[in-house]
Amino acid sequence: MTPPQETALDSPATPAWVRRPTNLARAVTAELVERIVRGVHPPGTSLPPEPILCETFGVSRTVVREAVKILQEKELVQVRQGAGTMVTPPSHWDMLDELVLAATIAVDDSLAILDDLVVTRRVLESDMANVAARLADAETTERLRAMVDRMDELVDDHLTYHEHDRAFHDTIMQASGNRIARGVVRALESQVINTARYMGRPERALCVASNQGHRRIYERIAAHDSNGAAGAMFTHITEAWLVRRSGSGKPVRLQR
């Protein structure tokens, strides 16, 4: 009896995700995003034609077209009549998109994209701390005080400390009432909170220094000192990042 012929989907050379992905188009999209960001398909060049992409990923034309449509939504490509699907310059890319941001962070040896993320977070959180100092009620300020006191006890447990750290910042963002700014910060941080390049070394001294910054922020909010709270937040985010990134040996380009 003649054994059944091996198909492209059964081939050992075919990536495992091609065989049973929950969503073929999104799986193809994720791979193409990484290839574009890594420069496999540089800006100004065209993606391989549909038949080649179908063969590469072992999928149908319908799947490839859906993937290209998603890439267009992320502004990584433009479909031009007669020219094919052209890769756009990085300045066009949607950097708030989780796939684009994650892929960019992964290939950025200079840490420039993380510097930009910190600057964005610093601007938004400083403004939210300013507003929170004006709006925070007694219950909120008491919650912040309790968080700071608790973090003093957690400096030897960096994982639990960082959970409380994020909760402290989120409490301030909620107190500001700015849902858009909070949403942007949370979206950005969700991409980096589990990466060593952003979080730095898990050292007790770093947690101690970090919580000193938290206490200054809390004190300014409790005193309803809007400018002082904004300044304390600005300094805290800046100093905490500079300390975390210092182990990389990369030049710093943070700007005010």
Side-chain angles (χ1 to χ4, degrees):
M1 180 176 178
T2 304
Q5 293 233 339
E6 186 181 68
T7 67
L9 291 180
D10 296 323
S11 170
T14 303
W17 61 261
V18 172
R19 301 176 190 176
R20 289 192 300 275
T22 56
N23 188 312
L24 280 171
R26 293 193 178 279
V28 171
T29 300
E31 178 64 23
L32 286 173
V33 167
E34 289 192 14
R35 293 185 181 194
I36 290 171
V37 172
R38 291 201 318 264
V40 176
H41 306 300
T45 65
S46 59
L47 289 182
E50 274 187 7
I52 300 298
L53 291 175
C54 291
E55 182 180 356
T56 298
F57 297 111
V59 296
S60 67
R61 286 178 179 264
T62 300
V63 170
V64 167
R65 288 169 185 169
E66 178 62 22
V68 170
K69 179 182 176 182
I70 298 171
L71 290 176
Q72 283 183 276
E73 294 171 354
K74 300 178 187 300
E75 301 183 75
L76 270 73
V77 301
Q78 290 181 339
V79 178
R80 297 178 183 172
Q81 193 68 29
T85 303
M86 307 298 294
V87 178
T88 59
S91 58
H92 291 200
W93 300 350
D94 178 7
M95 294 307 300
L96 290 181
D97 179 85
E98 61 178 331
L99 289 178
V100 178
L101 180 59
T104 305
I105 290 171
V107 302
D108 180 25
D109 291 334
S110 72
L111 301 186
I113 195 67
L114 287 179
D115 286 341
D116 289 344
L117 184 151
V118 171
V119 168
T120 302
R121 178 188 164 203
R122 184 177 65 185
V123 169
L124 294 175
E125 288 203 52
S126 294
D127 183 75
M128 285 187 279
N130 180 298
V131 177
R134 288 189 278 112
L135 300 182
D137 56 19
E139 180 182 351
T140 298
T141 54
E142 174 57 26
R143 188 181 312 130
L144 292 173
R145 183 200 62 75
M147 287 179 173
V148 172
D149 288 346
R150 178 59 177 148
M151 281 187 281
D152 275 340
E153 301 171 355
L154 293 172
V155 292
D156 292 309
D157 179 359
H158 72 277
L159 292 177
T160 307
Y161 175 89
H162 287 309
E163 290 175 4
H164 283 69
D165 184 341
R166 291 191 291 275
F168 175 85
H169 284 268
D170 195 52
T171 298
I172 294 171
M173 291 191 288
Q174 290 186 66
S176 77
N178 191 332
R179 292 181 294 168
I180 299 297
R182 176 179 178 242
V184 171
V185 170
R186 285 166 61 88
L188 291 173
E189 284 238 293
S190 70
Q191 300 301 312
V192 294
I193 57 174
N194 293 318
T195 64
R197 302 177 87 194
Y198 179 74
M199 296 304 295
R201 303 180 303 275
E203 295 180 3
R204 183 182 193 278
L206 299 185
C207 293
V208 171
S210 168
N211 207 38
Q212 289 172 349
H214 292 150
R215 189 169 293 280
R216 285 190 289 270
I217 295 165
Y218 151 69
E219 289 172 348
R220 292 302 89 212
I221 290 176
H224 301 291
D225 176 4
S226 295
N227 291 334
M233 181 66 78
F234 186 102
T235 299
H236 166 65
I237 291 176
T238 301
E239 292 181 348
W241 171 236
L242 293 179
V243 169
R244 293 200 306 274
R245 89 188 298 285
S246 62
S248 70
K250 304 296 181 182
V252 178
R253 65 178 190 86
L254 283 178
Q255 300 293 325
R256 286 185 177 269

